[in-house]
Amino acid sequence: MKTLSPRHLLTASALAVTVGLGLAAAQDAPQPDISPEASQQAQEAANNNEPLSAPATASSQVMPDSFADLVQQVAPAVVNITTSAVVAQPTGGEGGPMFPEGSPFSDLFRDFGIPGMPGQEGQGSPRMPQRSNALGSGFVISADGFIVTNNHVIEGADEIEIEFYSGETLPAKVIGTDPNTDVALLKVESPDPLPFVEFGNSDEARVGDWVLALGNPLGQGFSASSGIVSARNRELSGTYDDYLQTDAAINRGNSGGPLFNLQGEVVGVNTAILSPNGGSIGIGFSMASNVVSTVVDQLREFGETRRGWLGVKIQDVTPDMAEALGLAAESGAMVTDVPEGPAKEAGMRAGDVITSFAGSPVEDTRSLVRRVAEAPAGEPVEVVVQRTDGPVTLSVTLGRRETAEGAGDTPQAGGNAAPEDILGMSLSVLTPEMAQEMGLEGDMKGLVVREVDPASEAAEKGLAPGDIITEAGQQPVASIADLNARIDETREAGRKSLLVLVRRDGEPRFVALPVGER
């Protein structure tokens, strides 16, 4: 589990530091009170290769009288995970606390002869590496022993042990991991089929729906907590983030555990909490099951992820950009650059606004990135782009993101051409000499931003010296006259803003600048 900090990282490995000597006792913690009937039913379901599910009455209740029946039904598929790894120890005395040299604490402890303080005789020699243990949670997704957890639970481990609800333990091996979504897939070899649960559709989870979190918080053994879906589509720090937020209590050690709906389906994998102190304050995050299930399928089949790759750089469409383009809605993803790749081969251009992908509308860049990543590499997909003359449908054969990403230009400020003041900026034509000084291609055309009036709209939109304007009104600009012509055309069309393409440090982006009156 990650804590977002102030956001302490709620990693399972951090638990070894927090719980410390409590680890051995945690392994002997009592298991849930699962009735013999429930255990027998779970094993029969496993033998028949059927997932565990909630009692039929649970889904019809607005507010359950109790979660006990649901816990009894799905608990046999929830596991505790113990990992161990050899870690290097800092230099210093055996068993002594470590403080920075020169701090008041180091002086105090040295005066009292506490071992381990810098500057003491005999101290400073390397300490022997030691084995460190950590705890986490997970859940079984197939009768033949596949288990899902968080990547940070098992990252760096050289031994992984799975403890089942019955108390039985089995060693596990790593099938594959995906740090981008913090998902890991493990496998155990069991002589008998294992009770398992299945993924639900996280897109159907509504804010206010009841959810149940199961796991191994703080090494205390099996534990259940309930709450509601507090929010959907939360983005924390990753490219593919799609978290359900919940107020169900989850803490360190809950990492990798399942978040169930009332039907007994996994709608999320408990991954992180927002906390000022490392403990639950009712803001937890579970990676949505629709993201996890796609990753798990790929890890199961290939041992790695194989995400689709469109081959474009994009940005969100802002209201002023929509006005400048004459778009009816402020949705879609604006294409800022099309390097060599699938999109360029299909005829996509910088300035296109992607409005539909694989038959579904594109709301913003985040939704597009997720949908492209989930699409299979090597297969064609229909992409609808909006241009000034109307929508165009392109057929793009997606590449594979993991192997096909490229790098961009790296322009820097420079040049000595005479500048002219336009739209709050001092601009000069990019010459071959300037391009060479800035590390650009010699045939690159555009206008170099020399200065920006701090009180101008250009400054407010983030333009800065060294930026290069290569397009205006979705047409190339190679001179001041070109830019002035685009400004005139914008005013004549009755639009308030001109869309310009700006390149900075190899990254292109569109900016809508107000053109004002004649």
Side-chain angles (χ1 to χ4, degrees):
M1 180 69 47
K2 297 178 185 174
T3 13
L4 304 175
S5 200
R7 293 185 168 197
H8 311 307
L9 280 180
L10 192 60
T11 56
S13 58
L15 183 64
V17 178
T18 305
V19 177
L21 298 178
L23 177 63
Q27 292 176 311
D28 297 329
Q31 294 301 309
D33 184 17
I34 305 296
S35 68
E37 294 80 6
S39 298
Q40 183 177 356
Q41 291 174 359
Q43 189 58 56
E44 289 176 354
N47 293 339
N48 296 328
N49 199 29
E50 297 175 351
L52 304 178
S53 60
T57 57
S59 61
S60 62
Q61 294 176 310
V62 175
M63 181 175 181
D65 296 328
S66 171
F67 287 93
D69 290 340
L70 178 57
V71 172
Q72 288 264 327
Q73 194 71 23
V74 300
V78 182
V79 300
N80 296 341
I81 299 177
T82 303
T83 66
S84 63
V86 176
V87 297
Q89 296 296 305
T91 58
E94 185 68 30
M98 301 298 293
F99 298 104
E101 174 62 21
S103 71
F105 292 104
S106 67
D107 295 338
L108 175 65
F109 277 73
R110 185 186 298 109
D111 291 343
F112 281 89
I114 302 297
M117 290 300 100
Q120 291 181 336
E121 291 186 10
Q123 305 301 328
S125 58
R127 296 167 61 186
M128 294 296 293
Q130 296 183 359
R131 182 163 291 278
S132 173
N133 295 317
L135 298 176
S137 305
F139 54 98
V140 185
I141 61 167
S142 68
D144 57 349
F146 283 98
I147 295 171
V148 173
T149 187
N150 281 145
N151 176 60
H152 74 260
V153 169
I154 55 88
E155 188 173 20
D158 48 37
E159 292 182 8
I160 303 172
E161 186 176 75
I162 307 298
E163 181 182 11
F164 297 88
Y165 78 102
S166 63
E168 180 186 7
T169 60
L170 289 173
K173 64 178 180 179
V174 178
I175 300 299
T177 64
D178 179 34
N180 288 316
T181 55
D182 202 5
V183 171
L185 182 64
L186 312 178
K187 181 73 164 61
V188 296
E189 299 298 333
S190 172
D192 301 313
L194 296 174
F196 65 96
V197 289
E198 62 182 350
F199 289 108
N201 185 354
S202 55
D203 287 344
E204 295 179 354
R206 301 174 302 165
V207 174
D209 280 349
W210 284 102
V211 287
L212 176 74
L214 300 182
N216 179 25
L218 300 173
Q220 295 304 300
F222 183 92
S223 179
S225 60
S226 65
I228 62 170
V229 175
S230 304
R232 289 169 35 90
N233 304 123
R234 290 299 198 203
E235 181 180 7
L236 301 183
S237 59
T239 304
Y240 311 106
D241 285 3
D242 184 17
Y243 287 99
L244 297 178
Q245 180 183 324
T246 179
D247 64 349
I250 52 180
N251 289 281
R252 296 179 179 177
N254 274 116
S255 282
L259 187 72
F260 290 102
N261 60 19
L262 291 187
Q263 288 73 46
E265 300 168 329
V266 178
V267 293
V269 177
N270 301 324
T271 303
I273 63 174
L274 184 63
S275 174
N277 54 21
S280 173
I281 60 171
I283 305 178
F285 300 95
S286 299
M287 182 63 76
S289 61
N290 285 3
V291 174
V292 176
S293 60
T294 300
V295 171
V296 166
D297 288 344
Q298 293 183 351
L299 295 179
R300 194 167 176 174
E301 182 175 359
F302 308 114
E304 60 184 357
T305 57
R306 296 188 178 183
R307 293 187 168 92
W309 181 64
L310 189 58
V312 293
K313 294 183 179 180
I314 53 177
Q315 70 180 82
D316 286 330
V317 177
T318 61
D320 51 1
M321 289 168 60
E323 193 278 334
L325 290 167
L327 300 177
E330 303 161 11
S331 60
M334 169 73 74
V335 178
T336 61
D337 194 20
V338 189
E340 292 295 332
K344 187 170 186 178
E345 293 174 2
M348 197 171 295
R349 307 189 301 230
D352 286 347
V353 178
I354 300 175
T355 58
S356 176
F357 181 86
S360 298
V362 173
E363 297 180 1
D364 52 26
T365 57
R366 183 182 168 209
S367 65
L368 178 61
V369 169
R370 280 185 48 214
R371 303 239 314 269
V372 171
E374 293 169 0
E379 295 187 11
V381 61
E382 282 195 352
V383 181
V384 179
V385 299
Q386 182 70 36
R387 293 176 177 167
T388 53
D389 53 354
V392 177
T393 301
L394 305 174
S395 179
V396 184
T397 300
L398 300 179
R400 184 182 170 196
R401 186 179 183 91
E402 287 82 357
T403 58
E405 291 181 296
D409 303 323
T410 54
Q412 300 177 359
N416 52 15
E420 294 190 34
D421 294 335
I422 302 176
L423 300 180
M425 300 173 290
S426 180
L427 305 173
S428 60
V429 175
L430 178 65
T431 64
E433 294 76 19
M434 294 168 61
Q436 183 177 7
E437 291 177 8
M438 300 170 72
L440 306 175
E441 295 179 2
D443 59 351
M444 186 175 183
K445 306 294 184 183
L447 303 176
V448 180
V449 178
R450 306 297 296 275
E451 295 180 6
V452 180
D453 182 352
S456 68
E457 291 282 349
E460 186 176 334
K461 295 297 178 65
L463 273 78
D467 289 345
I468 300 175
I469 298 174
T470 58
E471 290 185 13
Q474 296 184 291
Q475 298 182 50
V477 290
S479 65
I480 300 296
D482 289 343
L483 179 58
N484 283 327
R486 302 293 87 76
I487 294 173
D488 291 340
E489 291 170 1
T490 301
R491 288 169 175 160
E492 291 171 2
R495 293 176 182 162
K496 300 178 181 179
S497 300
L498 173 66
L499 199 67
V500 298
L501 180 60
V502 180
R503 293 182 179 272
R504 176 190 300 171
D505 296 332
E507 294 298 324
R509 68 186 182 106
F510 281 100
V511 177
L513 297 176
V515 295
E517 302 294 334
R518 285 183 180 274

